[in-house]
Amino acid sequence: MLYLGLDSSTQSLTAVVVEIDGNERRVVLETSVNFDEALPHYGTRNGVLPDSDPAVGIAPPMMWAEALDVMMGRLAKAIDVGTIAAISGSAQQHGSVYLNATATQVFSALDPAQPLVDQLRGTFSRATSPIWMDSTTTEECREITAAVGGEHQLARHTGSRAFERFTGSQIRRFFKHDRIGYEATDRIHLVSSFAASLLAGRHAPLEPGDASGMNLMDLAAREWWRPAVDATAPGLMSKLPAIVEPWTCVGTLSPYWQMRHGFPAAQVIAWTGDNPSSLIGVGLAREGRVAISLGTSDTMFGPMTEPHVDDSGTGHVFGAPTGAYMGLTCFQNGSLAREQIRAAQGMTWSGFSHVLASTPPGNNGRIMLPWFAPEITPPVSVPSVHRYGPASDGASEVRAVIEAQQMSMALHSRWMARTVDVIHATGGAAVNREILQVMADVFGAHVLQLRVGNSAALGAAMRAAHAHLREHHRSVDWDDVVAGLAEPLAGSRVDPNPDRHALYREMMPVYAACEAHALGRGPDPRELVDRFARCSVRL
Ligand code: ADP
Ligand code: XUL
């Protein structure tokens, strides 16, 4: 049997096809459609529509639909799709798609002779989708928080305090700024449930993993939390999809895909967010380990049996595809910040890695706060890059951005995991072993690189398999599903160096002091930085 997993991320749509035959498992195909390169007519940069306001993060939903059509056509040419039993997927979290009442009919009667996008044109009540990089909704966050009785109340129920990128505040902003558009909206999907709807030919429900990125779902009850829904916009409840268990079959692949590309009537399993999907894709169905994804965003996440909400207000608790929970902290300045430094220095990735390996840990006391774009953790609304310590040069800039990202991740994920022994590394930058070495040294943890780097798409394929197998077997153990697929790359383990880890432990309070100063919350850290610079020369 074949299982197809798709991941509609910020920059690309990726497919992973796995074959499961008893205990035999293999990855049959991994392929990606890069939005900017394959669909340049949408005018995106890194999958996002350029805007002069750095707080705005929007993308065209039509582009995601067209990528799906391109991908399905590509898959049908590359493999025998006839034995695909089930399909699931994941998508960048929080982004929302606004459809008018014609969508129901259009989705169910797509003409296989016509491209998908040509038929979708009239179905949107909002032409662009706000995505996770949007931070324009501070005011709406405040309004929703006040209406539900404060930050703690919102976090206790939904798993997070109000965040600008979360869908609730985005919906409220749309309602306030475009009443007519809001009134014309019949259904609001997340990127994940929008894609699942296109595949199934009917409005697909949400599952708790992605729904918990909206500030609208009661985490424990796994249903919409009325006070938050009412505080967001009038009449919202009837525009939201239902919430179902993560392994729910939401329909069969619609005739459009069968007739246009030769797919079978495979089961479509509810889609989830890219981070919950990656949790499965890195093999983390059990508590005790964490994963770090170095993608467009950097995220750190791990499974949780009980929802321990973060009192510091930094992180999130989401539903996990297993039915349990997961903790997550998200950083906006991930790959694009690394790319900015690489481009400024005119380097290739191998040149970047070489420089990283040849510069000293601690960077002779140079500390950077790499907020090239607005930052989620810690919250920074106006982009600004701060530098402390001796003057920097090209080489020290490379080390500074990587050390800062890893320090910040270690500092702000303490709510989730006090000690970390093993990290599963995934995302586009996890192929970079020099970056993984800094990660291992900062955390004092062993870092494992995964055999399949596209962990969100792999997780989606495994979720499809799990749901399909579940129909025939009373219970399907997640360990059995992930075995042989979500495995570390042989010989990939990166071990921490004890001396370097000791140095980073000394550096952590200095980094925290620089961060507090840059945020306007702490005194000038110059003396601390100088003292650290003097003692850091020992390595
Ligand atoms: P997405 O969030 O879109 O899923 P990916 O996880 O696919 O993103 O990561 C894409 C990013 O990976 C690119 O933006 C690029 O910066 C980064 N990348 C690719 N190769 C390397 C490398 N050798 N070293 C560091 N980063 C890399
Ligand atoms: C998670 C988040 C990002 C997106 C992008 O909360 O905002 O990781 O899911 O992929």
Side-chain angles (χ1 to χ4, degrees):
M1 288 290 181
L2 296 186
Y3 298 98
L4 166 60
L6 295 159
D7 175 48
S8 182
S9 76
T10 315
Q11 304 192 50
S12 55
L13 174 68
T14 298
V16 168
V17 178
V18 301
E19 182 171 32
I20 298 188
D21 187 3
N23 288 331
E24 296 289 309
R25 285 107 213 275
R26 67 183 186 106
V27 174
V28 176
L29 182 75
E30 255 185 287
T31 180
S32 286
V33 173
N34 179 281
F35 299 138
D36 295 1
E37 285 162 21
L39 306 169
H41 42 285
Y42 290 99
T44 55
R45 238 187 117 222
N46 301 312
V48 185
L49 288 168
D51 197 289
S52 55
D53 181 353
V56 173
I58 50 173
M62 290 271 273
M63 177 179 77
W64 301 325
E66 186 166 348
L68 196 57
D69 217 2
V70 171
M71 175 61 88
M72 296 295 267
R74 191 189 284 187
L75 291 175
K77 284 203 186 78
I79 55 166
D80 175 12
V81 293
T83 56
I84 292 180
I87 303 172
S88 191
S90 64
Q92 52 172 306
Q93 299 196 249
H94 319 294
S96 41
V97 178
Y98 299 74
L99 297 166
N100 62 35
T102 66
T104 310
Q105 166 65 16
V106 172
F107 286 5
S108 67
L110 291 166
D111 175 0
Q114 308 294 328
L116 179 63
V117 280
D118 291 352
Q119 304 176 66
L120 296 183
R121 251 174 255 288
T123 60
F124 298 94
S125 54
R126 184 178 185 177
T128 57
S129 291
I131 64 159
W132 67 275
M133 292 163 121
D134 190 279
S135 55
T136 57
T137 62
T138 306
E139 190 178 296
E140 289 74 17
C141 285
R142 246 183 253 128
E143 291 163 353
I144 293 169
T145 304
V148 302
E151 217 168 64
H152 284 292
Q153 182 76 342
L154 188 61
R156 204 163 56 80
H157 279 273
T158 69
S160 306
R161 66 165 172 84
F163 278 85
E164 280 81 353
R165 70 192 193 288
F166 276 45
T167 326
S169 59
Q170 293 290 342
I171 294 173
R172 179 158 179 80
R173 188 173 168 80
F174 180 52
F175 155 71
K176 281 168 55 182
H177 291 262
D178 183 0
R179 293 271 164 125
I180 297 173
Y182 179 76
E183 290 305 326
T185 302
D186 176 61
R187 194 64 53 97
I188 302 175
H189 278 292
L190 292 182
V191 184
S192 60
S193 59
F194 171 60
S197 304
L198 295 177
L199 291 180
R202 57 198 289 260
H203 285 298
L206 289 171
E207 54 63 68
D210 219 13
S212 39
M214 300 174 84
N215 275 141
L216 291 172
M217 187 191 78
D218 188 307
L219 201 55
R222 292 164 179 264
E223 53 193 39
W224 298 120
W225 186 45
R226 187 101 229 182
V229 174
D230 290 346
T232 298
L236 177 58
M237 193 63 98
S238 65
K239 300 180 198 291
L240 294 173
I243 301 172
V244 297
E245 296 288 16
W247 40 82
T248 305
C249 173
V250 303
T252 50
L253 198 60
S254 85
Y256 175 81
W257 305 102
Q258 297 181 39
M259 284 147 82
R260 185 166 169 85
H261 298 301
F263 278 80
Q267 291 185 339
V268 179
I269 307 304
W271 282 41
T272 186
D274 51 3
N275 292 295
S277 194
S278 280
L279 186 78
I280 300 303
V282 299
L284 288 184
R286 296 280 177 271
E287 215 158 356
R289 291 182 170 196
V290 298
I292 290 182
S293 171
L294 302 174
T296 311
S297 61
D298 284 352
T299 55
M300 179 159 169
F301 53 88
M304 270 184 184
T305 317
E306 294 300 328
H308 303 297
V309 174
D310 173 19
D311 285 331
S312 72
T314 308
H316 319 297
V317 181
F318 292 156
T322 53
Y325 301 93
M326 63 185 282
L328 179 137
T329 308
C330 180
F331 303 82
Q332 181 159 339
N333 285 282
S335 276
L336 301 182
R338 292 184 280 276
E339 276 178 27
Q340 193 125 343
I341 297 285
R342 184 184 69 122
Q345 306 306 326
M347 290 172 182
T348 58
W349 280 124
S350 78
F352 187 96
S353 303
H354 179 75
V355 166
L356 193 52
S358 53
T359 41
N363 216 4
N364 295 321
R366 293 184 187 89
I367 292 180
M368 178 197 281
L369 283 318
W371 301 324
F372 292 92
E375 183 48 71
I376 294 164
T377 313
V380 176
S381 52
V382 180
S384 50
V385 177
H386 303 255
R387 291 178 177 81
Y388 295 88
S392 55
D393 55 25
S396 68
E397 287 280 285
V398 168
R399 178 156 281 276
V401 71
I402 299 301
E403 286 186 342
Q405 290 176 326
Q406 297 303 322
M407 296 296 261
S408 183
M409 223 163 334
L411 182 66
H412 296 292
S413 58
R414 284 179 178 161
W415 71 275
M416 210 166 80
R418 281 246 144 238
T419 54
V420 175
D421 298 325
V422 180
I423 298 169
H424 291 220
T426 181
V431 296
N432 192 317
R433 294 183 64 80
E434 285 70 27
I435 295 179
L436 300 191
Q437 185 64 59
V438 178
M439 184 187 286
D441 293 339
V442 167
F443 281 89
H446 303 286
V447 177
L448 304 174
Q449 199 184 328
L450 277 298
R451 199 159 11 131
V452 179
N454 291 307
S455 58
L458 176 66
M462 293 194 289
R463 290 185 56 246
H466 167 263
H468 185 244
L469 295 170
R470 225 173 160 272
E471 284 196 340
H472 305 284
H473 308 277
R474 202 172 283 258
S475 78
V476 179
D477 195 331
W478 275 106
D479 288 340
D480 290 343
V481 178
V482 302
L485 287 168
E487 300 286 346
L489 194 63
S492 73
R493 199 174 92 169
V494 179
D495 296 323
N497 172 301
D499 293 335
R500 290 197 292 252
H501 179 53
L503 178 90
Y504 284 128
R505 284 170 67 106
E506 281 173 43
M507 189 173 172
M508 186 61 84
V510 187
Y511 177 84
C514 293
E515 186 189 275
H517 180 255
L519 293 170
R521 291 195 208 128
D524 191 332
R526 214 164 317 167
E527 242 176 69
L528 269 182
V529 174
D530 287 348
R531 206 176 317 136
F532 172 72
R534 283 196 297 277
C535 77
S536 73
V537 289
R538 68 175 190 264
L539 281 179

PDB file of all heavy atoms in Angstrom, residues 154-177:
ATOM      1  N   LEU A 154      -7.400  33.095  28.717  1.00  0.00           N
ATOM      2  CA  LEU A 154      -7.303  32.699  27.299  1.00  0.00           C
ATOM      3  C   LEU A 154      -6.321  31.530  27.146  1.00  0.00           C
ATOM      4  O   LEU A 154      -6.605  30.541  26.457  1.00  0.00           O
ATOM      5  CB  LEU A 154      -6.856  33.902  26.448  1.00  0.00           C
ATOM      6  CG  LEU A 154      -6.886  33.703  24.934  1.00  0.00           C
ATOM      7  CD1 LEU A 154      -8.292  33.409  24.419  1.00  0.00           C
ATOM      8  CD2 LEU A 154      -6.337  34.932  24.189  1.00  0.00           C
ATOM      9  N   ALA A 155      -5.158  31.656  27.804  1.00  0.00           N
ATOM     10  CA  ALA A 155      -4.137  30.607  27.692  1.00  0.00           C
ATOM     11  C   ALA A 155      -4.621  29.303  28.327  1.00  0.00           C
ATOM     12  O   ALA A 155      -4.382  28.212  27.796  1.00  0.00           O
ATOM     13  CB  ALA A 155      -2.840  31.080  28.343  1.00  0.00           C
ATOM     14  N   ARG A 156      -5.295  29.408  29.455  1.00  0.00           N
ATOM     15  CA  ARG A 156      -5.751  28.209  30.154  1.00  0.00           C
ATOM     16  C   ARG A 156      -6.734  27.425  29.272  1.00  0.00           C
ATOM     17  O   ARG A 156      -6.713  26.210  29.226  1.00  0.00           O
ATOM     18  CB  ARG A 156      -6.436  28.627  31.464  1.00  0.00           C
ATOM     19  CG  ARG A 156      -6.452  27.561  32.548  1.00  0.00           C
ATOM     20  CD  ARG A 156      -6.758  28.182  33.905  1.00  0.00           C
ATOM     21  NE  ARG A 156      -8.019  28.921  33.904  1.00  0.00           N
ATOM     22  CZ  ARG A 156      -9.228  28.364  34.004  1.00  0.00           C
ATOM     23  NH1 ARG A 156      -9.346  27.065  34.122  1.00  0.00           N
ATOM     24  NH2 ARG A 156     -10.320  29.108  34.000  1.00  0.00           N
ATOM     25  N   HIS A 157      -7.568  28.147  28.538  1.00  0.00           N
ATOM     26  CA  HIS A 157      -8.549  27.458  27.692  1.00  0.00           C
ATOM     27  C   HIS A 157      -7.987  27.052  26.329  1.00  0.00           C
ATOM     28  O   HIS A 157      -8.237  25.953  25.853  1.00  0.00           O
ATOM     29  CB  HIS A 157      -9.793  28.336  27.490  1.00  0.00           C
ATOM     30  CG  HIS A 157     -10.714  28.267  28.649  1.00  0.00           C
ATOM     31  ND1 HIS A 157     -11.682  27.299  28.773  1.00  0.00           N
ATOM     32  CD2 HIS A 157     -10.790  29.025  29.757  1.00  0.00           C
ATOM     33  CE1 HIS A 157     -12.326  27.465  29.914  1.00  0.00           C
ATOM     34  NE2 HIS A 157     -11.807  28.507  30.535  1.00  0.00           N
ATOM     35  N   THR A 158      -7.264  27.986  25.691  1.00  0.00           N
ATOM     36  CA  THR A 158      -6.893  27.711  24.289  1.00  0.00           C
ATOM     37  C   THR A 158      -5.459  27.203  24.131  1.00  0.00           C
ATOM     38  O   THR A 158      -5.068  26.820  23.036  1.00  0.00           O
ATOM     39  CB  THR A 158      -7.057  28.981  23.415  1.00  0.00           C
ATOM     40  OG1 THR A 158      -6.047  29.942  23.795  1.00  0.00           O
ATOM     41  CG2 THR A 158      -8.425  29.608  23.576  1.00  0.00           C
ATOM     42  N   GLY A 159      -4.646  27.252  25.197  1.00  0.00           N
ATOM     43  CA  GLY A 159      -3.267  26.761  25.123  1.00  0.00           C
ATOM     44  C   GLY A 159      -2.252  27.851  24.890  1.00  0.00           C
ATOM     45  O   GLY A 159      -1.050  27.616  24.999  1.00  0.00           O
ATOM     46  N   SER A 160      -2.697  29.066  24.553  1.00  0.00           N
ATOM     47  CA  SER A 160      -1.773  30.184  24.296  1.00  0.00           C
ATOM     48  C   SER A 160      -2.444  31.487  24.690  1.00  0.00           C
ATOM     49  O   SER A 160      -3.667  31.624  24.536  1.00  0.00           O
ATOM     50  CB  SER A 160      -1.424  30.303  22.808  1.00  0.00           C
ATOM     51  OG  SER A 160      -0.922  29.102  22.293  1.00  0.00           O
ATOM     52  N   ARG A 161      -1.639  32.469  25.137  1.00  0.00           N
ATOM     53  CA  ARG A 161      -2.180  33.819  25.240  1.00  0.00           C
ATOM     54  C   ARG A 161      -2.417  34.308  23.807  1.00  0.00           C
ATOM     55  O   ARG A 161      -2.097  33.583  22.855  1.00  0.00           O
ATOM     56  CB  ARG A 161      -1.198  34.729  26.005  1.00  0.00           C
ATOM     57  CG  ARG A 161       0.109  34.958  25.282  1.00  0.00           C
ATOM     58  CD  ARG A 161       0.888  36.129  25.867  1.00  0.00           C
ATOM     59  NE  ARG A 161       2.216  36.223  25.299  1.00  0.00           N
ATOM     60  CZ  ARG A 161       2.519  36.834  24.149  1.00  0.00           C
ATOM     61  NH1 ARG A 161       1.563  37.394  23.424  1.00  0.00           N
ATOM     62  NH2 ARG A 161       3.756  36.858  23.706  1.00  0.00           N
ATOM     63  N   ALA A 162      -2.945  35.514  23.644  1.00  0.00           N
ATOM     64  CA  ALA A 162      -3.221  35.978  22.277  1.00  0.00           C
ATOM     65  C   ALA A 162      -1.911  36.292  21.547  1.00  0.00           C
ATOM     66  O   ALA A 162      -1.036  36.958  22.101  1.00  0.00           O
ATOM     67  CB  ALA A 162      -4.094  37.226  22.327  1.00  0.00           C
ATOM     68  N   PHE A 163      -1.778  35.770  20.356  1.00  0.00           N
ATOM     69  CA  PHE A 163      -0.613  36.053  19.506  1.00  0.00           C
ATOM     70  C   PHE A 163      -1.111  36.648  18.194  1.00  0.00           C
ATOM     71  O   PHE A 163      -2.145  36.215  17.666  1.00  0.00           O
ATOM     72  CB  PHE A 163       0.165  34.766  19.229  1.00  0.00           C
ATOM     73  CG  PHE A 163       1.097  34.368  20.339  1.00  0.00           C
ATOM     74  CD1 PHE A 163       0.635  33.634  21.414  1.00  0.00           C
ATOM     75  CD2 PHE A 163       2.430  34.752  20.330  1.00  0.00           C
ATOM     76  CE1 PHE A 163       1.478  33.279  22.460  1.00  0.00           C
ATOM     77  CE2 PHE A 163       3.287  34.403  21.359  1.00  0.00           C
ATOM     78  CZ  PHE A 163       2.810  33.666  22.435  1.00  0.00           C
ATOM     79  N   GLU A 164      -0.334  37.592  17.677  1.00  0.00           N
ATOM     80  CA  GLU A 164      -0.745  38.305  16.461  1.00  0.00           C
ATOM     81  C   GLU A 164      -1.018  37.369  15.286  1.00  0.00           C
ATOM     82  O   GLU A 164      -1.910  37.604  14.481  1.00  0.00           O
ATOM     83  CB  GLU A 164       0.318  39.336  16.046  1.00  0.00           C
ATOM     84  CG  GLU A 164       0.278  40.639  16.826  1.00  0.00           C
ATOM     85  CD  GLU A 164       0.962  40.570  18.179  1.00  0.00           C
ATOM     86  OE1 GLU A 164       1.374  39.460  18.603  1.00  0.00           O
ATOM     87  OE2 GLU A 164       1.099  41.635  18.826  1.00  0.00           O
ATOM     88  N   ARG A 165      -0.194  36.321  15.157  1.00  0.00           N
ATOM     89  CA  ARG A 165      -0.358  35.461  13.985  1.00  0.00           C
ATOM     90  C   ARG A 165      -1.493  34.459  14.136  1.00  0.00           C
ATOM     91  O   ARG A 165      -1.895  33.817  13.167  1.00  0.00           O
ATOM     92  CB  ARG A 165       0.942  34.731  13.687  1.00  0.00           C
ATOM     93  CG  ARG A 165       1.322  33.654  14.691  1.00  0.00           C
ATOM     94  CD  ARG A 165       2.744  33.206  14.452  1.00  0.00           C
ATOM     95  NE  ARG A 165       3.105  31.994  15.160  1.00  0.00           N
ATOM     96  CZ  ARG A 165       3.305  31.871  16.466  1.00  0.00           C
ATOM     97  NH1 ARG A 165       3.135  32.914  17.261  1.00  0.00           N
ATOM     98  NH2 ARG A 165       3.678  30.716  17.000  1.00  0.00           N
ATOM     99  N   PHE A 166      -1.975  34.253  15.346  1.00  0.00           N
ATOM    100  CA  PHE A 166      -3.041  33.278  15.572  1.00  0.00           C
ATOM    101  C   PHE A 166      -4.315  33.749  14.859  1.00  0.00           C
ATOM    102  O   PHE A 166      -4.588  34.941  14.754  1.00  0.00           O
ATOM    103  CB  PHE A 166      -3.276  33.067  17.066  1.00  0.00           C
ATOM    104  CG  PHE A 166      -2.333  32.057  17.683  1.00  0.00           C
ATOM    105  CD1 PHE A 166      -0.978  32.079  17.399  1.00  0.00           C
ATOM    106  CD2 PHE A 166      -2.791  31.071  18.547  1.00  0.00           C
ATOM    107  CE1 PHE A 166      -0.105  31.150  17.950  1.00  0.00           C
ATOM    108  CE2 PHE A 166      -1.928  30.141  19.101  1.00  0.00           C
ATOM    109  CZ  PHE A 166      -0.584  30.171  18.810  1.00  0.00           C
ATOM    110  N   THR A 167      -5.090  32.784  14.389  1.00  0.00           N
ATOM    111  CA  THR A 167      -6.167  33.088  13.455  1.00  0.00           C
ATOM    112  C   THR A 167      -7.270  33.965  14.045  1.00  0.00           C
ATOM    113  O   THR A 167      -7.882  34.748  13.321  1.00  0.00           O
ATOM    114  CB  THR A 167      -6.753  31.762  12.925  1.00  0.00           C
ATOM    115  OG1 THR A 167      -5.680  30.816  12.842  1.00  0.00           O
ATOM    116  CG2 THR A 167      -7.359  31.931  11.557  1.00  0.00           C
ATOM    117  N   GLY A 168      -7.532  33.821  15.354  1.00  0.00           N
ATOM    118  CA  GLY A 168      -8.618  34.593  15.967  1.00  0.00           C
ATOM    119  C   GLY A 168      -8.433  36.088  15.762  1.00  0.00           C
ATOM    120  O   GLY A 168      -9.326  36.786  15.255  1.00  0.00           O
ATOM    121  N   SER A 169      -7.259  36.607  16.131  1.00  0.00           N
ATOM    122  CA  SER A 169      -7.043  38.056  16.004  1.00  0.00           C
ATOM    123  C   SER A 169      -7.031  38.471  14.530  1.00  0.00           C
ATOM    124  O   SER A 169      -7.448  39.580  14.185  1.00  0.00           O
ATOM    125  CB  SER A 169      -5.744  38.470  16.695  1.00  0.00           C
ATOM    126  OG  SER A 169      -4.645  37.803  16.137  1.00  0.00           O
ATOM    127  N   GLN A 170      -6.599  37.572  13.655  1.00  0.00           N
ATOM    128  CA  GLN A 170      -6.605  37.873  12.215  1.00  0.00           C
ATOM    129  C   GLN A 170      -8.039  37.985  11.690  1.00  0.00           C
ATOM    130  O   GLN A 170      -8.360  38.859  10.884  1.00  0.00           O
ATOM    131  CB  GLN A 170      -5.847  36.789  11.435  1.00  0.00           C
ATOM    132  CG  GLN A 170      -4.346  36.752  11.730  1.00  0.00           C
ATOM    133  CD  GLN A 170      -3.610  37.952  11.181  1.00  0.00           C
ATOM    134  OE1 GLN A 170      -4.114  38.666  10.307  1.00  0.00           O
ATOM    135  NE2 GLN A 170      -2.399  38.206  11.679  1.00  0.00           N
ATOM    136  N   ILE A 171      -8.884  37.089  12.164  1.00  0.00           N
ATOM    137  CA  ILE A 171     -10.293  37.140  11.738  1.00  0.00           C
ATOM    138  C   ILE A 171     -10.923  38.435  12.239  1.00  0.00           C
ATOM    139  O   ILE A 171     -11.651  39.120  11.513  1.00  0.00           O
ATOM    140  CB  ILE A 171     -11.075  35.907  12.265  1.00  0.00           C
ATOM    141  CG1 ILE A 171     -10.552  34.629  11.618  1.00  0.00           C
ATOM    142  CG2 ILE A 171     -12.582  36.074  12.020  1.00  0.00           C
ATOM    143  CD1 ILE A 171     -11.127  33.337  12.190  1.00  0.00           C
ATOM    144  N   ARG A 172     -10.611  38.791  13.491  1.00  0.00           N
ATOM    145  CA  ARG A 172     -11.196  40.023  14.046  1.00  0.00           C
ATOM    146  C   ARG A 172     -10.762  41.243  13.231  1.00  0.00           C
ATOM    147  O   ARG A 172     -11.550  42.129  12.941  1.00  0.00           O
ATOM    148  CB  ARG A 172     -10.792  40.180  15.523  1.00  0.00           C
ATOM    149  CG  ARG A 172     -11.345  41.445  16.139  1.00  0.00           C
ATOM    150  CD  ARG A 172     -11.434  41.405  17.647  1.00  0.00           C
ATOM    151  NE  ARG A 172     -11.959  42.671  18.140  1.00  0.00           N
ATOM    152  CZ  ARG A 172     -13.243  43.001  18.141  1.00  0.00           C
ATOM    153  NH1 ARG A 172     -14.147  42.155  17.688  1.00  0.00           N
ATOM    154  NH2 ARG A 172     -13.633  44.180  18.593  1.00  0.00           N
ATOM    155  N   ARG A 173      -9.503  41.272  12.844  1.00  0.00           N
ATOM    156  CA  ARG A 173      -9.020  42.412  12.054  1.00  0.00           C
ATOM    157  C   ARG A 173      -9.753  42.497  10.703  1.00  0.00           C
ATOM    158  O   ARG A 173     -10.122  43.568  10.237  1.00  0.00           O
ATOM    159  CB  ARG A 173      -7.505  42.292  11.844  1.00  0.00           C
ATOM    160  CG  ARG A 173      -6.903  43.533  11.214  1.00  0.00           C
ATOM    161  CD  ARG A 173      -5.383  43.458  11.182  1.00  0.00           C
ATOM    162  NE  ARG A 173      -4.819  44.491  10.337  1.00  0.00           N
ATOM    163  CZ  ARG A 173      -4.645  45.753  10.705  1.00  0.00           C
ATOM    164  NH1 ARG A 173      -4.960  46.135  11.924  1.00  0.00           N
ATOM    165  NH2 ARG A 173      -4.138  46.638   9.866  1.00  0.00           N
ATOM    166  N   PHE A 174      -9.955  41.339  10.097  1.00  0.00           N
ATOM    167  CA  PHE A 174     -10.686  41.306   8.819  1.00  0.00           C
ATOM    168  C   PHE A 174     -12.109  41.833   9.023  1.00  0.00           C
ATOM    169  O   PHE A 174     -12.598  42.676   8.259  1.00  0.00           O
ATOM    170  CB  PHE A 174     -10.701  39.868   8.279  1.00  0.00           C
ATOM    171  CG  PHE A 174     -11.417  39.699   6.962  1.00  0.00           C
ATOM    172  CD1 PHE A 174     -11.109  40.507   5.869  1.00  0.00           C
ATOM    173  CD2 PHE A 174     -12.397  38.719   6.798  1.00  0.00           C
ATOM    174  CE1 PHE A 174     -11.762  40.349   4.648  1.00  0.00           C
ATOM    175  CE2 PHE A 174     -13.056  38.546   5.586  1.00  0.00           C
ATOM    176  CZ  PHE A 174     -12.740  39.362   4.518  1.00  0.00           C
ATOM    177  N   PHE A 175     -12.752  41.363  10.082  1.00  0.00           N
ATOM    178  CA  PHE A 175     -14.120  41.814  10.388  1.00  0.00           C
ATOM    179  C   PHE A 175     -14.150  43.334  10.584  1.00  0.00           C
ATOM    180  O   PHE A 175     -15.046  44.023  10.078  1.00  0.00           O
ATOM    181  CB  PHE A 175     -14.625  41.076  11.640  1.00  0.00           C
ATOM    182  CG  PHE A 175     -15.691  41.827  12.383  1.00  0.00           C
ATOM    183  CD1 PHE A 175     -16.974  41.958  11.854  1.00  0.00           C
ATOM    184  CD2 PHE A 175     -15.410  42.431  13.613  1.00  0.00           C
ATOM    185  CE1 PHE A 175     -17.945  42.666  12.536  1.00  0.00           C
ATOM    186  CE2 PHE A 175     -16.381  43.140  14.295  1.00  0.00           C
ATOM    187  CZ  PHE A 175     -17.651  43.270  13.757  1.00  0.00           C
ATOM    188  N   LYS A 176     -13.145  43.884  11.293  1.00  0.00           N
ATOM    189  CA  LYS A 176     -13.155  45.321  11.580  1.00  0.00           C
ATOM    190  C   LYS A 176     -12.857  46.166  10.339  1.00  0.00           C
ATOM    191  O   LYS A 176     -13.386  47.253  10.166  1.00  0.00           O
ATOM    192  CB  LYS A 176     -12.120  45.641  12.668  1.00  0.00           C
ATOM    193  CG  LYS A 176     -12.605  45.298  14.075  1.00  0.00           C
ATOM    194  CD  LYS A 176     -11.507  45.328  15.127  1.00  0.00           C
ATOM    195  CE  LYS A 176     -10.746  46.616  15.188  1.00  0.00           C
ATOM    196  NZ  LYS A 176      -9.665  46.571  16.200  1.00  0.00           N
ATOM    197  N   HIS A 177     -11.966  45.654   9.480  1.00  0.00           N
ATOM    198  CA  HIS A 177     -11.514  46.468   8.342  1.00  0.00           C
ATOM    199  C   HIS A 177     -12.267  46.207   7.045  1.00  0.00           C
ATOM    200  O   HIS A 177     -12.172  46.990   6.112  1.00  0.00           O
ATOM    201  CB  HIS A 177     -10.007  46.284   8.128  1.00  0.00           C
ATOM    202  CG  HIS A 177      -9.208  46.893   9.230  1.00  0.00           C
ATOM    203  ND1 HIS A 177      -8.636  48.129   9.126  1.00  0.00           N
ATOM    204  CD2 HIS A 177      -8.925  46.460  10.483  1.00  0.00           C
ATOM    205  CE1 HIS A 177      -8.023  48.431  10.257  1.00  0.00           C
ATOM    206  NE2 HIS A 177      -8.183  47.424  11.098  1.00  0.00           N
TER     207      HIS A 177
END
